[in-house]
Amino acid sequence: LVYTTSDNYFLLNSGGERLYVYAKNHSYDIGDILTIEGEKEELDFVTLESAFNFKSYLNKRGVYHSLKTKKVKVNFHNFIRIHERREKLLSMFDKESRSIVGAILFSDGDDSELSTSLRELHLARFLAASGIFISAFHFVLKYIFKLFLKDKYADIVSISLLILYSVFTFPRFSVIKVMLLLIIRWINKYLLKDKFSYLTIIGSLGIFCLLMNHHLAKQDGFILGFLIPIIMYLCRYIGSNNKLKSKVFRYLIIYLFFLPFEVNYYNKIVILSLPLQIISTPLFMVIG
């Protein structure tokens, strides 16, 4: 079962084992079911000093072997064509616009001048990893539907539309996490009458995700995606008498928490990264 695709490779799940398959300009898409004859080998990629380590990236996602294909047969052709539809949408934009639209909607990045600038300012991962845009989309949709429907039903409609959107972002974990969190919070609010606290909900969701895929524990998206909301929740009353002071303090705490990941990913620190994140968040929200 193909579950991730890129221009020159795809990842598949074969009987619970995850495998990397090199295939230049292939036509396979997420959801396709294939029968492949080939040889399984250890992953072997050349990694330059301070450059992106693709082998480590795959290992953190539970992929330890590649499959050198000899013969490929398509048993099931997924009619939705998730990757193709994403590419078709992005092809409607010029190079610079495609770069930021792709980063916000699908975590895709091109080698445009804009994406290079975002990477140099250490905003690229912040732009794609946090899931704040999905929460913002939900807020806007819910606000619009509340003009015509009761809160309970406005929430259901907005979540349903976001679930439809999440199909085209698969397997982006930050989107899946936000979707599950919105559904569970709706159930807790309207069916269970706020029986469980926010920390109980997000903690239980984190445990559930690890039970489904224990490889998530090695991924930055999982660690940041759960611990940042928890930190925000625990810090919500600090400096509450002064809203500006409270916001600056929360951003500072998040930045200090994000710092080890920044050093690990970029091998350097940009001093202006924190104020740029504060300034760019509302801008990226509007663009989103």
Side-chain angles (χ1 to χ4, degrees):
L1 175 67
V2 178
Y3 67 91
T4 298
T5 60
S6 188
D7 291 338
N8 296 323
Y9 73 89
F10 60 90
L11 304 181
L12 56 86
N13 189 312
S14 177
E17 183 178 16
R18 302 177 178 202
L19 299 166
Y20 164 90
V21 181
Y22 174 77
K24 195 170 184 179
N25 300 321
H26 65 87
S27 60
Y28 308 118
D29 209 328
I30 295 167
D32 288 350
I33 298 175
L34 314 174
T35 297
I36 302 178
E37 292 180 16
E39 296 178 5
K40 190 170 75 170
E41 301 175 344
E42 293 282 342
L43 290 175
D44 185 21
F45 299 102
V46 175
T47 304
L48 301 176
E49 186 178 356
S50 298
F52 177 68
N53 190 327
F54 189 51
K55 182 179 179 180
S56 174
Y57 170 84
L58 291 174
N59 288 165
K60 286 181 179 180
R61 283 151 181 79
V63 181
Y64 299 97
H65 293 90
S66 64
L67 192 61
K68 200 169 184 179
T69 60
K70 294 179 180 178
K71 184 180 179 182
V72 181
K73 177 187 175 185
V74 179
N75 298 320
F76 173 75
H77 190 75
N78 181 15
F79 65 91
I80 300 177
R81 313 313 292 166
I82 295 171
H83 185 71
E84 284 183 17
R85 290 179 185 275
R86 286 201 303 237
E87 289 301 309
K88 187 176 180 180
L89 171 68
L90 293 176
S91 68
M92 296 167 62
F93 299 92
D94 60 57
K95 190 174 182 181
E96 295 300 327
S97 300
R98 173 193 170 100
S99 178
I100 196 164
V101 171
I104 291 174
L105 293 182
F106 310 122
S107 296
D108 290 335
D110 289 334
D111 293 327
S112 66
E113 187 177 340
L114 177 59
S115 12
T116 302
S117 301
L118 288 173
R119 280 196 296 270
E120 288 176 351
L121 295 172
H122 295 193
L123 295 176
R125 277 168 67 77
F126 166 76
L127 182 66
S130 63
I132 57 173
F133 304 105
I134 313 302
S135 301
F137 295 159
H138 174 249
F139 175 81
V140 172
L141 288 171
K142 185 179 176 181
Y143 180 83
I144 293 170
F145 289 120
K146 277 172 67 175
L147 300 174
F148 314 100
L149 303 168
K150 292 181 179 179
D151 285 9
K152 180 178 180 179
Y153 301 109
D155 219 357
I156 288 178
V157 175
S158 58
I159 291 173
S160 299
L161 288 174
L162 286 174
I163 290 173
L164 181 63
Y165 157 71
S166 70
V167 171
F168 295 95
T169 66
F170 187 85
R172 183 177 168 187
F173 175 73
S174 61
V175 177
I176 295 171
K177 185 213 79 173
V178 174
M179 291 296 101
L180 291 174
L181 186 59
L182 288 173
I183 293 167
I184 294 170
R185 290 183 73 178
W186 186 91
I187 293 171
N188 184 56
K189 181 177 180 179
Y190 295 107
L191 300 183
L192 302 179
K193 308 301 180 185
D194 289 322
K195 183 178 181 180
F196 299 104
S197 69
Y198 177 76
L199 286 182
T200 300
I201 291 171
I202 198 165
S204 300
L205 178 57
I207 293 170
F208 172 77
C209 290
L210 287 176
L211 290 173
M212 294 295 101
N213 179 11
H214 65 276
H215 299 292
L216 287 170
K218 302 176 184 178
Q219 297 176 26
D220 294 356
F222 175 84
I223 298 168
L224 294 170
F226 279 96
L227 290 187
I228 285 180
I230 289 172
I231 291 170
M232 290 283 281
Y233 181 82
L234 295 175
C235 295
R236 69 194 187 284
Y237 294 127
I238 297 176
S240 56
N241 294 330
N242 187 317
K243 287 187 177 181
L244 179 61
K245 185 178 178 181
S246 178
K247 281 188 176 181
V248 171
F249 180 80
R250 285 202 299 271
Y251 269 107
L252 182 61
I253 291 291
I254 290 171
Y255 179 71
L256 292 175
F257 179 78
F258 190 76
L259 211 54
F261 297 91
E262 186 176 5
V263 173
N264 179 59
Y265 188 78
Y266 296 107
N267 301 302
K268 64 179 180 179
I269 296 172
V270 173
I271 302 299
L272 293 176
S273 180
L274 174 62
L276 284 171
Q277 285 186 18
I278 295 172
I279 295 168
S280 62
T281 299
L283 175 63
F284 286 151
M285 287 280 204
V286 172
I287 294 172

